[in-house]
């Protein structure tokens, strides 16, 4: 029996600049990813056609294992978004994987070869589940698990990075305005320290990438306030290597 299924597709969005938000005294509503909807008329049948040889090769690594590891999910997930859209088969891949919790799934690769893969591990499921992005306001400084999602969603779909940076910037701007009102830099420093500490708990890679996103956001805020923010407040966030693939 066929059922109509939909999947949210993250696409690159050019959000209003921090300069436009600089007249606000409270954070704007958290931006959400622009969604294009791909409708698929098929049931969850545990059968997936994979179009990209690199995606198929990554999935093959899970053959014979108990579950698809998070590392494998992080390998093939971003490949699905390279062209800023999901094909029906790519959408089906995500829906089948995130919607199947037991047994195996049959893969047909670009050469029409068939192999079976297990279900997703818990970590892989959490990562691929970000195809449906969370409400950004629901995560800000709520803890390491929540903050890690800001980083992971930009790994899964790098095209959403400008949106996350813009959101960070709006929140950091509010902390900067509070610091200005109190005639010290306490609030902006505390906000940055809290964010970095929560990224740090999730591990070195999340900390590195999270700090790089904060640095980009602080640069935007600084530019919006005519470079009034002392550089030493955020200079140590500057990445020493690329933080986003």
């Amino acid at each position: 029996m066929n059922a109509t299924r939909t999947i949210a597709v993250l696409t690159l969005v050019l959000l209003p600049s921090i300069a436009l938000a600089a007249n606000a005294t409270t954070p704007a509503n958290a931006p959400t990813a622009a969604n294009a909807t791909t409708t698929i008329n098929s049931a969850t049948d545990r059968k997936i056609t994979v179009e990209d040889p690199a995606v198929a090769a990554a999935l093959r690594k899970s053959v014979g294992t108990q579950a698809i590891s998070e590392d494998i999910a992080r390998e093939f997930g971003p490949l699905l978004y390279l062209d800023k859209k999901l094909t029906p088969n790519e959408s089906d891949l995500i829906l089948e994987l995130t919607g199947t919790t037991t047994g195996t799934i049959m893969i047909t690769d670009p050469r029409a070869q068939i192999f079976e893969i297990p279900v997703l591990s818990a970590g892989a499921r959490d990562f691929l589940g970000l195809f449906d992005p969370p409400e950004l306001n629901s995560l800000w400084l709520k803890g390491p698990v929540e903050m890690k999602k800001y980083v992971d969603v930009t790994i899964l779909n790098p095209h959403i990075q400008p949106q996350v940076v813009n959101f960070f910037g709006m929140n950091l701007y509010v902390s900067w305005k509070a610091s200005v009102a109190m005639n010290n830099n306490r609030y902006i420093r505390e906000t940055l320290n809290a964010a970095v500490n929560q990224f740090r708990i999730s591990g070195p890679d999340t900390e590195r990438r999270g700090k790089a996103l904060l640095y980009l956001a602080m640069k935007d805020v600084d530019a919006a306030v005519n470079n009034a923010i002392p550089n030493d407040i955020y200079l140590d966030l500057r990445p020493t290597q690329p933080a986003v693939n």
Side-chain angles (χ1 to χ4, degrees), residues 93-175:
L93 168 64
I94 292 179
L95 288 171
E96 290 283 351
L97 290 177
T98 57
T100 304
T101 58
T102 60
T104 59
I105 300 171
M106 185 178 298
I107 302 294
T108 301
D109 71 13
R111 296 184 297 174
Q113 295 182 345
I114 297 175
F115 58 94
E116 289 188 348
I117 60 173
V119 296
L120 296 171
S121 66
R125 188 174 302 280
D126 288 343
F127 178 70
L128 286 183
L130 292 172
F131 80 87
D132 184 12
E135 172 62 39
L136 298 185
N137 261 334
S138 70
L139 307 176
W140 181 245
L141 298 183
K142 294 296 177 61
V145 172
E146 290 82 0
M147 290 292 282
K148 186 174 186 289
K149 291 181 180 180
Y150 287 127
V151 171
D152 284 352
V153 76
T154 66
I155 295 174
L156 178 62
N157 181 0
H159 306 300
I160 202 175
Q161 179 183 325
Q163 186 171 342
V164 173
V165 169
N166 188 80
F167 174 76
F168 282 7
M170 287 188 291
N171 283 276
L172 293 169
Y173 173 78
V174 172
S175 292

Side-chain angles (χ1 to χ4, degrees), residues 223-241:
V225 297
N226 298 317
N227 300 314
I229 303 176
N231 288 343
D232 68 285
I233 289 178
Y234 65 94
L235 199 60
D236 62 342
L237 299 173
R238 184 172 54 185
T240 57
Q241 55 181 306

